[in-house]
Structures are given as structure tokens and as C-alpha cells.
Amino acid sequence: MSVGLVSFSVYLLSLDKQIRERFAGARWQLPAQVYASPAELYPGLNIEPQPLRHELGRLGYREVQELQGPGTYVAGKGGLQLQTRAFQFWDANQPSLQLGVKWGEDGNVSEVYDLEAGAPRDIVRLDPMLIGSIYPKQGEDRVLVKLSQVPELMSKGLLAVEDRSFRHHFGISPKGVLRASIANMRAGRVVQGGSTLTQQLVKNFFLNSKQTWGRKINEAFMAVLLEVHYSKDEILEAYLNEVHLGQDGNRAVHGFGLGAQFYFNKPLGELRPYEIALLAGMVKGPSYYNPRRNPKRALERRNLVLDVFRDEGLITEPEHAAAIQMPLGLAGGGSGVERYPAFVELVKRQLKGQYRDEDLVSEGLRIFTTLEPRAQESLEKRIAAALPQLEKTRKMKPETLEASGVVTSVDGGEVLALVGGRDTRYAGFNRALDAKRSIGSLAKPFVYLTALMHPDRFNVQTLLPDEPISLTRAGSKPWTPMNYDRQLHGPQSLANALAQSYNLPTVYLGLQFGAKAVKDTLVAAGYSGNAAPVPSMFLGAVEIAPLEVAQMYATLAANGYQAPLSAIREVQTKDGAPLSRFPIKLRQTLPEGPVYLLNWTLQGVLTRGTARSAYSVLPGDRAYAGKTGTTDDYRDSWFAGFGADRVAVVWVGRDDNKPTGLSGANGALPIWTQVMKDLNARGLDQIPPPDVEEQLVDPASGLKADEGCPGARSVPYVRGNAPQQFAPCASAAESAPMQWLRDIFQ
């Protein structure tokens, strides 16, 4: 008997050690939480009431008749009231604020008013959207909550459903098992479990779900030992954070904190009774009662839990009646908090080298990113709408085409949106980062920029030959490029050759300086590849991923100043202490004057060139610049372009690299155009830099013009290189001989 007692004691001590070691320290690996850029409210903000309401809805704010706490808003004529959520930003802790927002006659926000302080506010940030997490390999994800943050109905309602005697038993409850059996028989179905909440925690935290006597015995003893060492509140808080509430692909959703975000897109503290009842009911079987896959079953279970809430006096009869009538109320999208896996993948890559993988998945880091939800939503929506239509027009099988896209800011090089494929929730192959495809005519602007960097030889008016070219290399067939339309068009001004995307003038221009010089220009713009410097590079025989294309065009948009594209603003510990800042690293890599001339020329692509259809959608009084790109046999369709504040790049093609029949103008361009319209992108500023002068020029001769020349237009030149000779049509040209005579006789 003494041997048995010793063995039993050793057994208990072993269980006790497991409990104390695992439960005393950090109980969970805490995934890094990834946040979008916060929306800002300030006087002069260019946003109308409906888009702002949409933004609030995206953040999980709900419209009410009068403010009911954080996360609610009231819409009225000409204005809106809202109560923000408290949030600890990277630079300040912002409390919950009650605000009034008014609009002016111009459609912009005219006033942001602090209703409690009775004073205007210069700027207020809304709480940022939680867009994803970087979780461990085993796939557990959670958002930790303290018991004090949990609604009373959640904690009391959970105990009413799962363990009514929790506050009184010592880990196991024989009476509970008996009572649950009777309740289940009366209901004709299982409405209560026999295990205590402590036993469920032990099973989830320490053991497994195998239905064996050994596991049940361990569970019972460990439940008692857990109750010996820890208070009821500590056990309840641990359960609230550990319970499994569903699956999102390979990511397991644990805890009510993440469950509230995953299913309702709002913090746990803002859940209403019918939402709390749904989560409490799912504890019994998160897969069986999955509200997205089994809505009818989940609704029945939720209503049963609401009955328990009423019977236990946790909600009133009117509250019960109102809750029963409510729909499930799930957040849209079907994927909860893991909204933008392609963008989060970019974040992970940019964090590599600065943080260990184990820190990213276990330390609960808070990562504030540059993602702009409005831009991301637009890019996703426009790609999703365009691809089926293109497939139908081209008589392709559905799901044939793929696409990717990137939107960045001009100032600072922030990545605002990124789509890796038509299935925007797919966390696999990311085409925006990894699909290196031939860029076609997107390479041409860098050929022209190479020439414009020699203003003594080339300017936007320089005539280029459009004539056949044949190049031979030892051991290879002659390379004989042709224009897109297989026609010759005669001499073309540099500006028009680029606007119309003619191949032969481009090759001629590239040969003046050589492929090595053109590659150097590509590198200066942001290209990091190692393509061989051969003449076919002039027409885009270089493979680049969309994100890097965006980097190159962002350098053009910033007048030759390059800021490495970044998706991260700040990294903090779980307690809000700053770890790293990601400052803007701006450097000039291309000369400002020639870049200005190139961008002036790229505006012609949209006004009279291959992308002129864009202005059937975009405002005609705004200037944008960009370039279409089409590769051999129509395998790739590109458009890259920018305004004063936004750069966007779109690619459309097939993963098997077969022809699509789409040019840059009829594949990628319409998507780009709609995105820029959605974002209300600002037009380009038309103020030339100090080293650029503008001169009135006669388009027929390319010489200096005045009011006597019909059709004369202002043309930019690098200072000191504008034509000095007057055109024959100029009034000044006619008076020149008389002036010469006067000069002689003075």
C-alpha cells in the first residue's frame, strides 16, 4: 500500500509541476498584430459623408440613433457624430472621443469638433484596422483580453451555459454531471456539458481530445491542482483566451478577443447580447456550429443560448425578444481578421533581418503599417470586377486570367495597397512580389530618360527616325524589331514617339547610348535585377515583379528622388514600448530636370497616346502620367502611372504564360483608371524645377514661336537648351531684317 501511495504522490507531483511551470509564465505564444494605417479626420479632408460612413463601417462602427459608447455614430444632415475607440498609437495614447464632423459647401470636411471639451480639433485619428497577424507554425492566433475587459454578459453567460457551479466547485463537479444529464434529457438535445470549465481548460491547454480513461483521469486531477494554485478569476480569464472558436485556413482562432474580431469585426467590449450568445454557443463545437458554413445550425444554437441568458436573469424578456429576431450579424468577407495576406507577406519580408522569427510569433509585437484600407478595397474590387468581364469578352474559360497590383504614395514611398492575385484572401503565391514578367513598353520611358539626360543632343521636340532596323549578333539570328502596328510613320518627335509607343524610334534612341546606359537608368530608378544589357531591353525584354515596377515609377513620380518602398511605420512591444522606427530614406538618384521632361512627355500617353481612353473616366482637368505595356504575343498587359500623390501599377496575364489577346490599353489600363478615380488621385503639379525653362514652340518646325504662330504651345527644356531661332511663322522673324538695318545705322 505504501508503494502505491508513493507512486500516486509522484504522479500528482509530476502533474503539479506541469501545471505550475506552464501556467506561471508566459502561457501563450502571442502572434504579432498587424494594423493598417489609421484614417484621419481634419478640417479640409476631401471625403464626403457616405465614404466616411463606409470607412466607419469597415472599422466595425455601427450607426445608432444616439451615441451609445465607443464604436458608434449618428448620421445627420450635413454632419455626423461619432465616438471613437481609445487606442494606443505609436506616438501617443488617444482616449475615446465624442466628435462632431461637419461638411462645407465644397464637399470637404469643414469642422471636427470635440463635443465633450466644447472645442475644435485640428486632427483626430480613428483606431486602425487589425488586418492580420504573424502567428506560430502550429497556427494558433489570439488577441489577449483581461477579465476586466470582458462584458459581464459574456463571462456570466458563458458560465450559465458551460459551468453553472464554477464559482463553487473545486475543479470537478459530480453534481454538474448529473444536472447536465437531466437538462439534456428535458431539452431532448445536448444543451449543457458535464465537464467543468476548469476541466475544459486543462484539456485544451495541457492535454488533447482523445476519449480515453487515462486522459480523463489526468484531466480531473489536473483540474483540482489548477484550482489549488490559481483563483477562479485567473482560471476564467485563461479560459476566455484559450478556447477554440474556429478555423481560418491554417490559422486557428483562439479566445473571445480574436473571436469578436474574426466574426464581427469589432472589439469584444462592443458585442451585443445576440453576438455574445453566438460566440458562447460555439464553444460546444466551433466546426459544427460554424456560422459561416452552417448558419441555420448556428442560429438555432445561438437562440438556445439566448434562452439560457433569459432564464438565468442575465437579459430581460424584451432584450431576449429583440435578440431572437436579429440575424447572425457576421462581418462581411468570410475571412475575419486575416484580410490582406498578400500585404502581410510583404510586411513579414521587410521585418526579416530585424527580428527573429520566434519573436514575431511569440512576443505579441504591434506592427503599424502603411496600408490604406480605402486604396486596398478599391484595388481588390476593380481587379475582381474586371477579370471576369475580360474573360467573357475574350471568350476565355472562367478563372483563366490572373492579376496583381500595387498602389504607393508619392511622398515617402509608402505601400498603400497590394494585391497578389484574383483570390485576394489566398495566402499562397504572391504575384505582386514574386511574379517576374516581361514589362514590355514600361521599359521605354527609361530609354527616353537616358536620352533626355543629354539635353545638348535630345529634347522633347527632337525628331527621331521611324525606319527599319536590323541588328546582328554572332551566332544569333538578326534582330529586326517592328512597330506595334507593323507600319512606318515617318520622322517623329521624341514626345510623340513615346506617346504612341513606337518601337523603331525607341530602338534608334537606345542605340545612341547603348544598353548598358539604359540599364544604369533602370537601376537608378529602382531596378535590382541582373538582366543582360542587350538592345531588346529597350522594348521591355526584362522581367520585373509589379512591386519593383512600382518602385521605378515612384522614383519618376517623385521627380527623381527615390524612397525605398516600405510597408511598415512602427514596431512596438505588446505593452506599447517603441522598438523600431522606419524613417523615410530619400535620396536623389535621377536628375530632376530630365525627369520633369519625361513626365511631361508621359502625360501625352494619356492625352493623345496609347492610354487616351483613361480620360473617359478620369477628370479632364487633372494631369496624370503613365505608360502602357504589352509583351510579345499579348502575354502580359501592364499599366504604370501616377498623379501628384498616388502611383499605381497593374498587371494582367496568365500563370501559364500563354497569350491573352490583351494589350496594356485594354487589359490593365481600365483597372488602373478606375482605381485612380476611386482614390480621387490629385493631378500632377505643373511647376517646373529650377533647371527647366518653358518656351513657346512652333510644332511644325520645332523652333521658337510667338503669337504669330498658330497652334504654338509651351514646351519644357533643360535650361539653356531651348531653341533660340524663331520659326518662319513668328512675327519676330519677319521683323528681324528691319532690326538689323536699324542696328547698322545707329
Side-chain angles (χ1 to χ4, degrees), residues 376-393:
Q376 181 72 27
E377 183 179 272
S378 170
L379 188 58
E380 290 183 358
K381 180 176 67 175
R382 295 305 180 180
I383 286 176
L387 295 190
Q389 187 61 39
L390 289 172
E391 289 164 346
K392 182 178 179 181
T393 302

Side-chain angles (χ1 to χ4, degrees), residues 67-78:
L67 295 181
Q68 298 176 4
T72 61
Y73 73 93
V74 180
K77 290 185 177 180

